[in-house]
Amino acid sequence: MKKRVYIPVLWKFYISHLFAVIWTCIAIVLSKSWISDLSGVAGIMMAVIIITGIAYIPGYLNAFLVASLLIDKQPKLKTDNPQDEITVLIAAKNEESGIANSLIYLKNQDYDGGISVVLIDNGSEDGTIEAARKIAQEIDLDLSIKIEEEPGKHAALNQGIKYVNTEYVITLDADTLLHKSAIRYIVARMKTAPPDVCAVAGAILVRNSRDNLWSRVQEWDYFLSIASIKRLQGLYQGTLVAQGAYSLFKTDTIREAGGWPDAIGEDIVLTWKFLKQGRKVFFEPLSVAFTVVPTKLVHLGRQRSRWARGMIEGLKEVKPWQQPSIFTKYLTSVNYIMPYIDISFTFFWLPGLVLAFFGVYWIVGLTTLLVLPLTFVSYFVLYFYQKKVFTKLNLKIRRNISGFIVFVLFYQMIMSPVSVWGYVQELFKLKRVWK
């Protein structure tokens, strides 16, 4: 068998940037008439600012993503059957209706190591504790229940970590269901990784995608966009969020970092602290968890505005230039550009779209269609990768055409204004709204 050529990660980084630069240069040449037309209305400087925000930078980032994924190949797992003792932390508040199901899925893992669960009740006013204790007895699950009166997920997790005696700890949301092989794969990735890897983020997919149109749209967001960004960041050894919904950590590194901070994006800030310390965070696409997503636009908006605020909190806590790795310097620096992109889509693209309906093509016109080919290429690449994951896990991709159409054509139009609202909330330190 012919040996596969190994490309060092640094070379992959530079090759992907080279492809992105070439793509952007071609886009600039092809968009000369677009700049000329818009300059006649807004002036050359404003025309460049607008087109850069809605076309050049998004195109560059998308091209970099596609190139990186095409040359990415994760190292093979050294073991398929790790047997390390694991502790799972679950912070819960008013989860009576779903906690039993989550614990059953934990019990049914095909993992040969011991699994103990610490459930931290954070002010529940329903029967969460009773429901958890009852099902744990029925299925013979090693469960201990702790109480944390101080509100906030960070407080609950910091209480729970006090009772962890294992080398590795998993955080899991109370409404999240794990694929039967999730823990086996995430621990195997950690065991395969270099010693400086302190966390592995699992893959989050949508559990309730059949509820309504909003959940169907989010199914594609998690399946394509979020998973692809995690893959990209994992390739460059700097996954920017070991999300609290489902991730594996080395217990000692959490304690050394002072635990989870009091922040709206506590998992983002903690992860960036790890990266600043010179540690690495990986991503394991085969370690899949299914989460419940918002089914109302108002709740989705609040969630994504929180995510936007969390990103800004991370930038305040750890500056990109403080990151020791060239990869994490770049990946975190991209977050400085995201507000510019979101503002451009909100205040330039959306008004331009309205003008186009009236036959005015200053901002949105035939030239803007040039960005679509790369978009669909990227989605094809991502779909191919995800299909391999689903095949490996004996899962089926749901037929969801309506969700995909709305996702491709309208999702960014909704999410950019929502993110801008999140930036405004953080700028003026407005009250945190969770649901």
Side-chain angles (χ1 to χ4, degrees), residues 174-385:
D175 61 356
T176 299
L177 305 182
L178 293 181
H179 181 274
K180 67 177 183 179
S181 301
I183 291 182
R184 180 165 62 86
Y185 278 120
I186 204 168
V187 176
R189 178 55 60 193
M190 178 68 85
K191 301 292 288 185
T192 301
D196 55 356
V197 174
C198 67
V200 179
I204 305 294
L205 297 175
V206 175
R207 168 182 164 188
N208 59 324
S209 63
R210 294 178 179 175
D211 284 2
N212 62 12
L213 179 61
W214 292 118
S215 60
R216 291 197 294 273
V217 172
Q218 289 174 82
E219 179 176 42
W220 288 110
D221 185 23
Y222 280 78
F223 184 77
L224 294 178
S225 296
I226 295 176
S228 65
I229 292 171
K230 290 283 191 182
R231 275 185 173 271
L232 170 73
Q233 296 171 353
L235 164 63
Y236 297 118
Q237 305 169 350
T239 303
L240 295 188
V241 187
Q243 68 279 339
Y246 175 52
S247 293
L248 171 73
F249 302 87
K250 288 182 176 177
T251 307
D252 288 344
T253 59
I254 294 177
R255 290 173 173 152
E256 290 168 7
W260 286 269
D262 181 7
I264 202 164
E266 76 285 331
D267 46 5
I268 299 176
V269 176
L270 179 62
T271 306
W272 287 24
K273 283 184 178 180
F274 292 154
L275 298 174
K276 182 183 178 182
Q277 295 169 352
R279 304 181 190 277
K280 296 174 182 176
V281 179
F282 276 12
F283 168 66
E284 178 48 56
L286 288 173
S287 183
V288 170
F290 296 90
T291 190
V292 176
V293 298
T295 56
K296 294 183 179 180
L297 180 58
V298 62
H299 296 155
L300 173 61
R302 288 172 181 170
Q303 180 195 64
R304 297 309 171 96
S305 66
R306 288 198 307 272
W307 291 7
R309 290 188 72 172
M311 182 187 74
I312 300 300
E313 285 180 329
L315 288 171
K316 288 180 178 179
E317 181 71 26
V318 183
K319 306 299 187 294
W321 53 86
Q322 295 176 317
Q323 297 289 350
S325 164
I326 185 176
F327 307 132
T328 51
K329 276 184 171 68
Y330 169 74
L331 294 171
T332 53
S333 294
V334 167
N335 288 317
Y336 272 125
I337 304 173
M338 296 311 298
Y340 172 41
I341 295 176
D342 288 324
I343 290 171
S344 297
F345 269 88
T346 301
F347 296 106
F348 302 140
W349 172 267
L350 291 180
L353 191 63
V354 174
L355 289 173
F357 278 111
F358 292 95
V360 181
Y361 304 112
W362 293 334
I363 298 176
V364 177
L366 293 177
T367 310
T368 58
L369 297 178
L370 293 172
V371 302
L372 293 180
L374 184 61
T375 300
F376 282 108
V377 168
S378 66
Y379 287 151
F380 174 78
V381 172
L382 304 177
Y383 184 89
F384 173 75
Y385 273 104

Side-chain angles (χ1 to χ4, degrees), residues 105-159:
Y105 273 73
L106 266 174
K107 179 63 178 180
N108 291 338
Q109 290 291 296
D110 61 1
Y111 184 69
D112 289 339
I115 299 176
S116 58
V117 181
V118 177
L119 175 69
I120 312 97
D121 186 84
N122 195 212
S124 293
E125 298 173 347
D126 62 1
T128 297
I129 293 177
E130 292 75 13
R133 185 175 287 123
K134 178 181 178 182
I135 192 65
Q137 292 175 348
E138 291 178 3
I139 63 178
D140 191 26
L141 178 69
D142 182 1
L143 173 71
S144 61
I145 297 176
K146 309 299 177 182
I147 305 296
E148 175 53 52
E149 296 181 356
E150 180 184 345
K153 187 175 181 179
H154 73 286
L157 292 174
N158 286 331
Q159 177 67 249

Side-chain angles (χ1 to χ4, degrees), residues 63-172:
F64 178 76
L65 170 66
V66 170
S68 297
L69 294 180
L70 287 174
I71 57 178
D72 179 28
K73 183 175 176 58
Q74 276 196 313
K76 290 184 177 180
L77 296 173
K78 294 179 180 178
T79 175
D80 288 328
N81 191 32
Q83 299 181 23
D84 301 73
E85 298 289 318
I86 296 293
T87 303
V88 179
L89 294 184
I90 302 177
K93 180 178 181 179
N94 297 331
E95 299 287 352
E96 179 183 4
S97 62
I99 190 63
N101 214 14
S102 297
L103 295 179
I104 290 172
Y105 273 73
L106 266 174
K107 179 63 178 180
N108 291 338
Q109 290 291 296
D110 61 1
Y111 184 69
D112 289 339
I115 299 176
S116 58
V117 181
V118 177
L119 175 69
I120 312 97
D121 186 84
N122 195 212
S124 293
E125 298 173 347
D126 62 1
T128 297
I129 293 177
E130 292 75 13
R133 185 175 287 123
K134 178 181 178 182
I135 192 65
Q137 292 175 348
E138 291 178 3
I139 63 178
D140 191 26
L141 178 69
D142 182 1
L143 173 71
S144 61
I145 297 176
K146 309 299 177 182
I147 305 296
E148 175 53 52
E149 296 181 356
E150 180 184 345
K153 187 175 181 179
H154 73 286
L157 292 174
N158 286 331
Q159 177 67 249
I161 198 72
K162 298 176 184 178
Y163 302 95
V164 176
N165 298 312
T166 54
E167 181 180 2
Y168 303 127
V169 61
I170 288 173
T171 59
L172 184 70

